[in-house]
Amino acid sequence: AGLIALVLALSHAPWRVPVAAGLLMSLLGAWWCARWFRRRLGGVTGDTLGAAQQLTEVLLLLSWAAVWQAATQ
């Protein structure tokens, strides 16, 4: 269902840039978290997955806000 929603959002012209920016930032944030957790903590636990989820959600919302701000100026 999530993949279908992503494809539909990317196919709708006004949503392409915010969705792509949010997806990119979320992927980069998740990658960075996984790398940091493995290096500093020696692995990934349930707590670290929760922290990664929260961080990627914040990055998604911040990227949407940045795109919106740039589009309205």
Side-chain angles (χ1 to χ4, degrees), residues 11-46:
S11 67
H12 188 61
W15 287 99
R16 282 188 189 141
V17 173
V19 169
L23 180 63
L24 178 64
M25 290 305 294
S26 294
L27 289 173
L28 286 174
W31 171 81
W32 180 83
C33 280
R35 185 172 179 247
W36 192 81
F37 294 147
R38 282 191 209 110
R39 286 180 145 191
R40 300 290 270 181
L41 304 176
V44 178
T45 66

mmCIF file of all heavy atoms in Angstrom, residues 11-46:
data_model
loop_
_atom_site.group_PDB
_atom_site.id
_atom_site.type_symbol
_atom_site.label_atom_id
_atom_site.label_comp_id
_atom_site.label_asym_id
_atom_site.label_seq_id
_atom_site.Cartn_x
_atom_site.Cartn_y
_atom_site.Cartn_z
ATOM 1 N N SER A 11 3.435 10.583 -9.344
ATOM 2 C CA SER A 11 2.844 10.777 -10.663
ATOM 3 C C SER A 11 1.990 12.043 -10.717
ATOM 4 O O SER A 11 1.657 12.517 -11.796
ATOM 5 C CB SER A 11 2.007 9.562 -11.069
ATOM 6 O OG SER A 11 0.879 9.452 -10.233
ATOM 7 N N HIS A 12 1.632 12.601 -9.587
ATOM 8 C CA HIS A 12 0.832 13.820 -9.536
ATOM 9 C C HIS A 12 1.781 15.020 -9.519
ATOM 10 O O HIS A 12 2.547 15.209 -8.582
ATOM 11 C CB HIS A 12 -0.061 13.801 -8.288
ATOM 12 C CG HIS A 12 -1.048 14.910 -8.241
ATOM 13 N ND1 HIS A 12 -2.017 15.070 -9.190
ATOM 14 C CD2 HIS A 12 -1.209 15.915 -7.357
ATOM 15 C CE1 HIS A 12 -2.746 16.133 -8.888
ATOM 16 N NE2 HIS A 12 -2.264 16.656 -7.777
ATOM 17 N N ALA A 13 1.741 15.824 -10.563
ATOM 18 C CA ALA A 13 2.732 16.878 -10.799
ATOM 19 C C ALA A 13 3.015 17.797 -9.609
ATOM 20 O O ALA A 13 4.183 18.007 -9.282
ATOM 21 C CB ALA A 13 2.335 17.701 -12.017
ATOM 22 N N PRO A 14 2.031 18.353 -8.918
ATOM 23 C CA PRO A 14 2.366 19.288 -7.833
ATOM 24 C C PRO A 14 3.084 18.637 -6.652
ATOM 25 O O PRO A 14 3.732 19.306 -5.871
ATOM 26 C CB PRO A 14 1.013 19.828 -7.374
ATOM 27 C CG PRO A 14 0.066 19.526 -8.469
ATOM 28 C CD PRO A 14 0.607 18.324 -9.186
ATOM 29 N N TRP A 15 2.970 17.322 -6.519
ATOM 30 C CA TRP A 15 3.564 16.642 -5.369
ATOM 31 C C TRP A 15 4.919 16.022 -5.659
ATOM 32 O O TRP A 15 5.558 15.483 -4.762
ATOM 33 C CB TRP A 15 2.617 15.544 -4.867
ATOM 34 C CG TRP A 15 1.440 16.120 -4.180
ATOM 35 C CD1 TRP A 15 0.205 16.317 -4.709
ATOM 36 C CD2 TRP A 15 1.376 16.616 -2.855
ATOM 37 N NE1 TRP A 15 -0.618 16.892 -3.795
ATOM 38 C CE2 TRP A 15 0.078 17.087 -2.643
ATOM 39 C CE3 TRP A 15 2.303 16.715 -1.824
ATOM 40 C CZ2 TRP A 15 -0.319 17.638 -1.438
ATOM 41 C CZ3 TRP A 15 1.903 17.261 -0.626
ATOM 42 C CH2 TRP A 15 0.605 17.719 -0.445
ATOM 43 N N ARG A 16 5.399 16.080 -6.872
ATOM 44 C CA ARG A 16 6.658 15.410 -7.217
ATOM 45 C C ARG A 16 7.840 15.876 -6.390
ATOM 46 O O ARG A 16 8.564 15.067 -5.822
ATOM 47 C CB ARG A 16 6.964 15.600 -8.700
ATOM 48 C CG ARG A 16 6.177 14.698 -9.573
ATOM 49 C CD ARG A 16 6.633 14.777 -11.014
ATOM 50 N NE ARG A 16 5.671 14.032 -11.810
ATOM 51 C CZ ARG A 16 5.253 14.398 -12.993
ATOM 52 N NH1 ARG A 16 5.726 15.497 -13.537
ATOM 53 N NH2 ARG A 16 4.390 13.678 -13.648
ATOM 54 N N VAL A 17 8.064 17.169 -6.345
ATOM 55 C CA VAL A 17 9.239 17.689 -5.643
ATOM 56 C C VAL A 17 9.154 17.451 -4.135
ATOM 57 O O VAL A 17 10.111 16.939 -3.545
ATOM 58 C CB VAL A 17 9.464 19.187 -5.972
ATOM 59 C CG1 VAL A 17 10.570 19.770 -5.116
ATOM 60 C CG2 VAL A 17 9.774 19.347 -7.445
ATOM 61 N N PRO A 18 8.038 17.774 -3.458
ATOM 62 C CA PRO A 18 7.995 17.507 -2.015
ATOM 63 C C PRO A 18 8.131 16.027 -1.671
ATOM 64 O O PRO A 18 8.827 15.677 -0.712
ATOM 65 C CB PRO A 18 6.624 18.036 -1.575
ATOM 66 C CG PRO A 18 6.198 18.969 -2.631
ATOM 67 C CD PRO A 18 6.852 18.506 -3.894
ATOM 68 N N VAL A 19 7.503 15.163 -2.450
ATOM 69 C CA VAL A 19 7.593 13.729 -2.173
ATOM 70 C C VAL A 19 9.007 13.223 -2.413
ATOM 71 O O VAL A 19 9.566 12.486 -1.601
ATOM 72 C CB VAL A 19 6.570 12.936 -3.018
ATOM 73 C CG1 VAL A 19 6.827 11.449 -2.935
ATOM 74 C CG2 VAL A 19 5.157 13.255 -2.556
ATOM 75 N N ALA A 20 9.616 13.646 -3.514
ATOM 76 C CA ALA A 20 10.985 13.216 -3.807
ATOM 77 C C ALA A 20 11.963 13.749 -2.760
ATOM 78 O O ALA A 20 12.851 13.013 -2.303
ATOM 79 C CB ALA A 20 11.393 13.683 -5.204
ATOM 80 N N ALA A 21 11.802 14.993 -2.337
ATOM 81 C CA ALA A 21 12.687 15.566 -1.320
ATOM 82 C C ALA A 21 12.519 14.840 0.009
ATOM 83 O O ALA A 21 13.499 14.505 0.683
ATOM 84 C CB ALA A 21 12.402 17.057 -1.145
ATOM 85 N N GLY A 22 11.285 14.582 0.394
ATOM 86 C CA GLY A 22 11.029 13.865 1.636
ATOM 87 C C GLY A 22 11.568 12.450 1.613
ATOM 88 O O GLY A 22 12.146 11.972 2.596
ATOM 89 N N LEU A 23 11.395 11.783 0.490
ATOM 90 C CA LEU A 23 11.901 10.416 0.354
ATOM 91 C C LEU A 23 13.427 10.391 0.429
ATOM 92 O O LEU A 23 14.006 9.569 1.141
ATOM 93 C CB LEU A 23 11.431 9.811 -0.972
ATOM 94 C CG LEU A 23 11.871 8.388 -1.265
ATOM 95 C CD1 LEU A 23 11.308 7.427 -0.235
ATOM 96 C CD2 LEU A 23 11.429 7.985 -2.668
ATOM 97 N N LEU A 24 14.067 11.311 -0.262
ATOM 98 C CA LEU A 24 15.529 11.380 -0.236
ATOM 99 C C LEU A 24 16.046 11.650 1.176
ATOM 100 O O LEU A 24 16.957 10.975 1.650
ATOM 101 C CB LEU A 24 16.027 12.455 -1.198
ATOM 102 C CG LEU A 24 17.532 12.670 -1.224
ATOM 103 C CD1 LEU A 24 18.248 11.422 -1.725
ATOM 104 C CD2 LEU A 24 17.874 13.875 -2.075
ATOM 105 N N MET A 25 15.452 12.624 1.862
ATOM 106 C CA MET A 25 15.900 12.955 3.212
ATOM 107 C C MET A 25 15.652 11.799 4.179
ATOM 108 O O MET A 25 16.474 11.512 5.046
ATOM 109 C CB MET A 25 15.206 14.220 3.711
ATOM 110 C CG MET A 25 15.661 15.462 2.997
ATOM 111 S SD MET A 25 17.442 15.737 3.047
ATOM 112 C CE MET A 25 17.680 16.015 4.781
ATOM 113 N N SER A 26 14.523 11.118 4.035
ATOM 114 C CA SER A 26 14.225 9.982 4.908
ATOM 115 C C SER A 26 15.208 8.840 4.683
ATOM 116 O O SER A 26 15.691 8.228 5.641
ATOM 117 C CB SER A 26 12.793 9.495 4.674
ATOM 118 O OG SER A 26 11.877 10.467 5.077
ATOM 119 N N LEU A 27 15.511 8.558 3.430
ATOM 120 C CA LEU A 27 16.466 7.491 3.132
ATOM 121 C C LEU A 27 17.857 7.828 3.647
ATOM 122 O O LEU A 27 18.541 6.970 4.220
ATOM 123 C CB LEU A 27 16.496 7.211 1.635
ATOM 124 C CG LEU A 27 15.261 6.530 1.061
ATOM 125 C CD1 LEU A 27 15.356 6.458 -0.455
ATOM 126 C CD2 LEU A 27 15.070 5.156 1.659
ATOM 127 N N LEU A 28 18.284 9.076 3.442
ATOM 128 C CA LEU A 28 19.592 9.491 3.950
ATOM 129 C C LEU A 28 19.637 9.437 5.480
ATOM 130 O O LEU A 28 20.636 9.006 6.062
ATOM 131 C CB LEU A 28 19.937 10.894 3.458
ATOM 132 C CG LEU A 28 20.337 11.004 2.000
ATOM 133 C CD1 LEU A 28 20.499 12.473 1.607
ATOM 134 C CD2 LEU A 28 21.599 10.240 1.716
ATOM 135 N N GLY A 29 18.569 9.860 6.120
ATOM 136 C CA GLY A 29 18.515 9.814 7.576
ATOM 137 C C GLY A 29 18.551 8.397 8.111
ATOM 138 O O GLY A 29 19.257 8.099 9.086
ATOM 139 N N ALA A 30 17.808 7.497 7.489
ATOM 140 C CA ALA A 30 17.802 6.094 7.921
ATOM 141 C C ALA A 30 19.168 5.458 7.695
ATOM 142 O O ALA A 30 19.660 4.705 8.547
ATOM 143 C CB ALA A 30 16.721 5.327 7.168
ATOM 144 N N TRP A 31 19.793 5.761 6.563
ATOM 145 C CA TRP A 31 21.126 5.229 6.291
ATOM 146 C C TRP A 31 22.137 5.725 7.324
ATOM 147 O O TRP A 31 22.929 4.961 7.861
ATOM 148 C CB TRP A 31 21.568 5.630 4.885
ATOM 149 C CG TRP A 31 23.002 5.300 4.619
ATOM 150 C CD1 TRP A 31 23.515 4.086 4.271
ATOM 151 C CD2 TRP A 31 24.113 6.192 4.700
ATOM 152 N NE1 TRP A 31 24.882 4.177 4.137
ATOM 153 C CE2 TRP A 31 25.271 5.459 4.399
ATOM 154 C CE3 TRP A 31 24.239 7.537 5.009
ATOM 155 C CZ2 TRP A 31 26.528 6.035 4.391
ATOM 156 C CZ3 TRP A 31 25.502 8.103 5.001
ATOM 157 C CH2 TRP A 31 26.619 7.353 4.691
ATOM 158 N N TRP A 32 22.095 7.038 7.613
ATOM 159 C CA TRP A 32 23.006 7.604 8.583
ATOM 160 C C TRP A 32 22.795 6.980 9.963
ATOM 161 O O TRP A 32 23.758 6.659 10.659
ATOM 162 C CB TRP A 32 22.842 9.117 8.653
ATOM 163 C CG TRP A 32 23.772 9.744 9.636
ATOM 164 C CD1 TRP A 32 25.070 10.078 9.429
ATOM 165 C CD2 TRP A 32 23.486 10.068 10.993
ATOM 166 N NE1 TRP A 32 25.605 10.611 10.578
ATOM 167 C CE2 TRP A 32 24.655 10.612 11.553
ATOM 168 C CE3 TRP A 32 22.346 9.961 11.781
ATOM 169 C CZ2 TRP A 32 24.710 11.041 12.870
ATOM 170 C CZ3 TRP A 32 22.416 10.390 13.097
ATOM 171 C CH2 TRP A 32 23.584 10.910 13.625
ATOM 172 N N CYS A 33 21.534 6.823 10.378
ATOM 173 C CA CYS A 33 21.237 6.217 11.685
ATOM 174 C C CYS A 33 21.779 4.795 11.756
ATOM 175 O O CYS A 33 22.420 4.425 12.748
ATOM 176 C CB CYS A 33 19.733 6.189 11.935
ATOM 177 S SG CYS A 33 19.059 7.744 12.491
ATOM 178 N N ALA A 34 21.515 4.002 10.750
ATOM 179 C CA ALA A 34 21.979 2.608 10.758
ATOM 180 C C ALA A 34 23.497 2.552 10.845
ATOM 181 O O ALA A 34 24.056 1.758 11.613
ATOM 182 C CB ALA A 34 21.487 1.883 9.508
ATOM 183 N N ARG A 35 24.155 3.397 10.079
ATOM 184 C CA ARG A 35 25.625 3.429 10.100
ATOM 185 C C ARG A 35 26.138 3.843 11.467
ATOM 186 O O ARG A 35 27.045 3.229 12.016
ATOM 187 C CB ARG A 35 26.103 4.400 9.019
ATOM 188 C CG ARG A 35 27.584 4.432 8.843
ATOM 189 C CD ARG A 35 27.938 5.265 7.612
ATOM 190 N NE ARG A 35 29.374 5.301 7.464
ATOM 191 C CZ ARG A 35 30.113 6.391 7.603
ATOM 192 N NH1 ARG A 35 29.542 7.537 7.878
ATOM 193 N NH2 ARG A 35 31.405 6.343 7.457
ATOM 194 N N TRP A 36 25.559 4.878 12.047
ATOM 195 C CA TRP A 36 25.995 5.375 13.342
ATOM 196 C C TRP A 36 25.735 4.352 14.445
ATOM 197 O O TRP A 36 26.585 4.132 15.301
ATOM 198 C CB TRP A 36 25.280 6.690 13.654
ATOM 199 C CG TRP A 36 25.875 7.410 14.823
ATOM 200 C CD1 TRP A 36 26.984 8.198 14.821
ATOM 201 C CD2 TRP A 36 25.392 7.399 16.159
ATOM 202 N NE1 TRP A 36 27.214 8.682 16.078
ATOM 203 C CE2 TRP A 36 26.243 8.208 16.927
ATOM 204 C CE3 TRP A 36 24.306 6.791 16.788
ATOM 205 C CZ2 TRP A 36 26.057 8.424 18.272
ATOM 206 C CZ3 TRP A 36 24.125 7.011 18.134
ATOM 207 C CH2 TRP A 36 24.992 7.809 18.862
ATOM 208 N N PHE A 37 24.562 3.713 14.412
ATOM 209 C CA PHE A 37 24.236 2.717 15.435
ATOM 210 C C PHE A 37 25.186 1.528 15.367
ATOM 211 O O PHE A 37 25.597 0.997 16.396
ATOM 212 C CB PHE A 37 22.794 2.235 15.302
ATOM 213 C CG PHE A 37 21.757 3.295 15.592
ATOM 214 C CD1 PHE A 37 20.553 3.292 14.923
ATOM 215 C CD2 PHE A 37 21.992 4.292 16.521
ATOM 216 C CE1 PHE A 37 19.587 4.252 15.187
ATOM 217 C CE2 PHE A 37 21.045 5.266 16.790
ATOM 218 C CZ PHE A 37 19.839 5.246 16.120
ATOM 219 N N ARG A 38 25.519 1.104 14.175
ATOM 220 C CA ARG A 38 26.445 -0.023 14.047
ATOM 221 C C ARG A 38 27.841 0.335 14.548
ATOM 222 O O ARG A 38 28.496 -0.458 15.204
ATOM 223 C CB ARG A 38 26.511 -0.500 12.604
ATOM 224 C CG ARG A 38 25.333 -1.346 12.228
ATOM 225 C CD ARG A 38 25.549 -2.019 10.881
ATOM 226 N NE ARG A 38 24.243 -2.211 10.258
ATOM 227 C CZ ARG A 38 23.807 -1.562 9.192
ATOM 228 N NH1 ARG A 38 24.581 -0.694 8.578
ATOM 229 N NH2 ARG A 38 22.606 -1.787 8.716
ATOM 230 N N ARG A 39 28.296 1.541 14.230
ATOM 231 C CA ARG A 39 29.641 1.951 14.628
ATOM 232 C C ARG A 39 29.740 2.234 16.122
ATOM 233 O O ARG A 39 30.682 1.812 16.781
ATOM 234 C CB ARG A 39 30.071 3.210 13.875
ATOM 235 C CG ARG A 39 30.412 2.962 12.453
ATOM 236 C CD ARG A 39 30.806 4.272 11.822
ATOM 237 N NE ARG A 39 31.845 4.008 10.849
ATOM 238 C CZ ARG A 39 32.549 4.948 10.286
ATOM 239 N NH1 ARG A 39 32.349 6.200 10.615
ATOM 240 N NH2 ARG A 39 33.450 4.642 9.396
ATOM 241 N N ARG A 40 28.789 2.994 16.650
ATOM 242 C CA ARG A 40 28.884 3.449 18.037
ATOM 243 C C ARG A 40 28.316 2.450 19.037
ATOM 244 O O ARG A 40 28.805 2.356 20.148
ATOM 245 C CB ARG A 40 28.159 4.780 18.200
ATOM 246 C CG ARG A 40 28.727 5.865 17.327
ATOM 247 C CD ARG A 40 30.063 6.287 17.790
ATOM 248 N NE ARG A 40 29.884 7.373 18.730
ATOM 249 C CZ ARG A 40 30.863 7.995 19.317
ATOM 250 N NH1 ARG A 40 32.089 7.647 19.076
ATOM 251 N NH2 ARG A 40 30.628 8.956 20.156
ATOM 252 N N LEU A 41 27.252 1.759 18.655
ATOM 253 C CA LEU A 41 26.582 0.871 19.598
ATOM 254 C C LEU A 41 26.787 -0.608 19.290
ATOM 255 O O LEU A 41 26.362 -1.462 20.045
ATOM 256 C CB LEU A 41 25.080 1.173 19.630
ATOM 257 C CG LEU A 41 24.702 2.623 19.967
ATOM 258 C CD1 LEU A 41 23.207 2.816 19.866
ATOM 259 C CD2 LEU A 41 25.199 2.996 21.351
ATOM 260 N N GLY A 42 27.361 -0.912 18.153
ATOM 261 C CA GLY A 42 27.618 -2.294 17.786
ATOM 262 C C GLY A 42 26.452 -3.015 17.159
ATOM 263 O O GLY A 42 26.513 -4.214 16.929
ATOM 264 N N GLY A 43 25.387 -2.323 16.860
ATOM 265 C CA GLY A 43 24.258 -2.981 16.213
ATOM 266 C C GLY A 43 22.991 -2.154 16.332
ATOM 267 O O GLY A 43 22.998 -1.016 16.778
ATOM 268 N N VAL A 44 21.898 -2.778 15.944
ATOM 269 C CA VAL A 44 20.606 -2.118 15.930
ATOM 270 C C VAL A 44 19.681 -2.860 16.887
ATOM 271 O O VAL A 44 19.607 -4.085 16.863
ATOM 272 C CB VAL A 44 20.021 -2.109 14.501
ATOM 273 C CG1 VAL A 44 18.662 -1.462 14.469
ATOM 274 C CG2 VAL A 44 20.961 -1.395 13.548
ATOM 275 N N THR A 45 18.975 -2.103 17.737
ATOM 276 C CA THR A 45 17.998 -2.684 18.657
ATOM 277 C C THR A 45 16.643 -2.042 18.404
ATOM 278 O O THR A 45 16.517 -1.144 17.562
ATOM 279 C CB THR A 45 18.408 -2.426 20.118
ATOM 280 O OG1 THR A 45 18.339 -1.016 20.366
ATOM 281 C CG2 THR A 45 19.806 -2.939 20.412
ATOM 282 N N GLY A 46 15.661 -2.457 19.144
ATOM 283 C CA GLY A 46 14.336 -1.857 19.009
ATOM 284 C C GLY A 46 14.324 -0.382 19.359
ATOM 285 O O GLY A 46 13.638 0.415 18.718
#
